[in-house]
Every structure is written in structure tokens, then in C-alpha cells.
Amino acid sequence: VFFISESVGFVVGECKSYGNGFYASCWGMSDFTPYEGKVISYNNKNMPNNKIIVILGKCCAGKDTLARFMADNLGFNFVVSTTSRPMREGESEGNPYHFILDEEFQRKIANGDFIEYREYKTNGGNWHYGVEKSVVIDNECYVAVLDIVGLREFKKQFGDRVFSIYLLVDYDERLRRCVSRGDFNEKEWKRRAISDDEMFDNVPCSEFDYVKI
């Protein structure tokens, strides 16, 4: 169940009625700490146990951190996307992507294997990312990191199973996080920042189920 608490903002966990309101014992998404207390609002449509949580945000907004937390602590299946980009140091097959050659990616597109896919033009080349249909099944809960195009495709495919969270983090904080990773490339950062602005800045907040500020 997804709802808003009085103190920690967006939280996820069990919500029960106790006469004078709803109370929860759960995890707070603001700081990843246990939370127990009164709930000020929640959404009935999120009761089924087959939800697909889609997390969106600009570069270094914390999307993967939140998604991995939910997978590791809250029982969600992490949706592993497929990509044609080269594997980076510290990565492996399935972590964080399924890595394939571009030729195979193009075959999968032709075969209709993807729920959604997209292309990013980067300083290192044009790379494709997509989520294969075989990854998501009925009666399971999932968490996925997507862009706005991916969210829209998921909504077409899965309807009310999808609950979207947009992480709104200011530029300076995102830049600080990127630099702290230790492999900062200013040219690539600027490219990604511009691309993110083009993708998200004109999307109304109403398109998301929850915006985490």
C-alpha cells in the first residue's frame, strides 16, 4: 500500500484502519527508516499485490537507490532492462542490465519482444535500452526505473497495475552526487542534464501518481 504520512512523506507498507484514521507500520521513502504512525492519505487503487512501481527522475535523482531498496527490503522484483551499451567496470550480466549486442537488440525489436524501448545518443555512441515482455508476469509486484516514454508504454500495457513515483531533486544536489561517484565526466553530465530537461520539464506533475520533493 502506498500512502502519505504526517512526517516522512511517501511511505510503503501495511495500512490499517483504527476508528479515528489509518495507521501504518512501514518503511519511509525519505530516509529508508522504519516508520510507524498515522497516515493522512492513501490510494485505494494500490491495494492489489501485483503492483508495478515505476520510478522516474533526472540523472542522479536516486532512482536506482530507491528501486534497489524496495527490491531488497520490501519484496518487489527489480525489473532488469536490456541494453546494447557496453558493460562498465563493476557491472556484470544482470547487474544492473542484461547486456546484448546491438544486432541482437534490433532483432528483438523486430520480433516485438519489448514492452518499451528507447535510444539514447551519448558521447560514447547510440545505445538502446528496453524492457522485455518476458520480464513482467501477472500476480507479482515489480519496481522499474524508466523514463517518461517507458512509463506511458507501461501504462498502456498494464493499466492500473502501474504506480509512478517522480523524484524531484534540484540540479546542484544531483551534480554533487554525480561528482561524488568518482568517475565524473563534465561533458557527459551536461549532455545528460540537457536531455533530462528536454524530457521532463514540460511533463505536468499530474502525470505521476506521486512526486517526491
Side-chain angles (χ1 to χ4, degrees):
V1 180
F2 299 88
F3 41 82
I4 302 172
S5 75
E6 293 179 312
S7 60
V8 298
F10 176 77
V11 289
V12 58
E14 184 179 7
C15 182
K16 295 181 179 180
S17 174
Y18 288 102
N20 64 339
F22 290 92
Y23 287 78
S25 179
C26 52
W27 287 88
M29 291 295 100
S30 59
D31 56 4
F32 303 153
T33 57
Y35 170 79
E36 188 166 352
K38 190 172 183 179
V39 172
I40 58 175
S41 67
Y42 80 106
N43 195 325
N44 279 321
K45 79 173 185 177
N46 301 309
M47 295 296 288
N49 62 358
N50 66 341
K51 298 303 293 183
I52 302 170
I53 310 305
V54 174
I55 302 174
L56 308 93
K58 295 181 179 181
C59 177
C60 295
K63 304 181 295 295
D64 289 311
T65 299
L66 175 55
R68 288 296 183 185
F69 174 86
M70 294 176 73
D72 293 343
N73 296 278
L74 301 172
F76 288 85
N77 297 294
F78 184 80
V79 173
V80 180
S81 297
T82 298
T83 184
S84 64
R85 79 155 169 78
M87 191 181 297
R88 297 170 181 165
E89 184 177 354
E91 296 178 335
S92 59
E93 169 55 28
N95 177 35
Y97 299 104
H98 296 303
F99 295 92
I100 62 175
L101 297 176
D102 191 66
E103 292 82 357
E104 184 178 355
F105 201 103
Q106 296 302 324
R107 284 197 298 271
K108 288 180 177 292
I109 292 175
N111 292 336
D113 291 342
F114 291 108
I115 298 170
E116 62 86 27
Y117 64 90
R118 63 272 188 201
E119 179 184 43
Y120 293 115
K121 299 182 185 299
T122 76
N123 293 320
N126 296 347
W127 297 332
H128 292 87
Y129 295 79
V131 177
E132 297 188 54
K133 294 177 180 178
S134 59
V135 171
V136 180
I137 62 174
D138 294 335
N139 301 318
E140 291 283 348
C141 287
Y142 294 91
V143 58
V145 175
L146 302 174
D147 61 17
I148 190 64
V149 176
L151 171 62
R152 290 166 180 167
E153 290 301 317
F154 262 56
K155 284 184 174 180
K156 288 180 184 177
Q157 180 81 16
F158 300 109
D160 286 345
R161 282 186 70 185
V162 177
F163 184 96
S164 57
I165 304 169
Y166 181 70
L167 303 181
L168 183 60
V169 181
D170 67 53
Y171 179 91
D172 289 341
E173 174 60 20
R174 292 187 295 108
L175 176 58
R176 184 194 66 78
R177 293 176 184 179
C178 189
V179 172
S180 69
R181 292 178 176 178
D183 58 351
F184 181 69
N185 181 307
E186 184 176 5
K187 184 177 180 180
E188 178 63 11
W189 164 259
K190 289 181 177 179
R191 182 202 66 78
R192 295 177 70 180
I194 292 171
S195 177
D196 283 341
D197 289 347
E198 292 174 346
M199 174 169 293
F200 289 110
D201 283 359
N202 293 319
V203 178
C205 288
S206 59
E207 188 156 347
F208 308 112
D209 292 296
Y210 182 81
V211 177
K212 171 67 176 68
I213 299 175

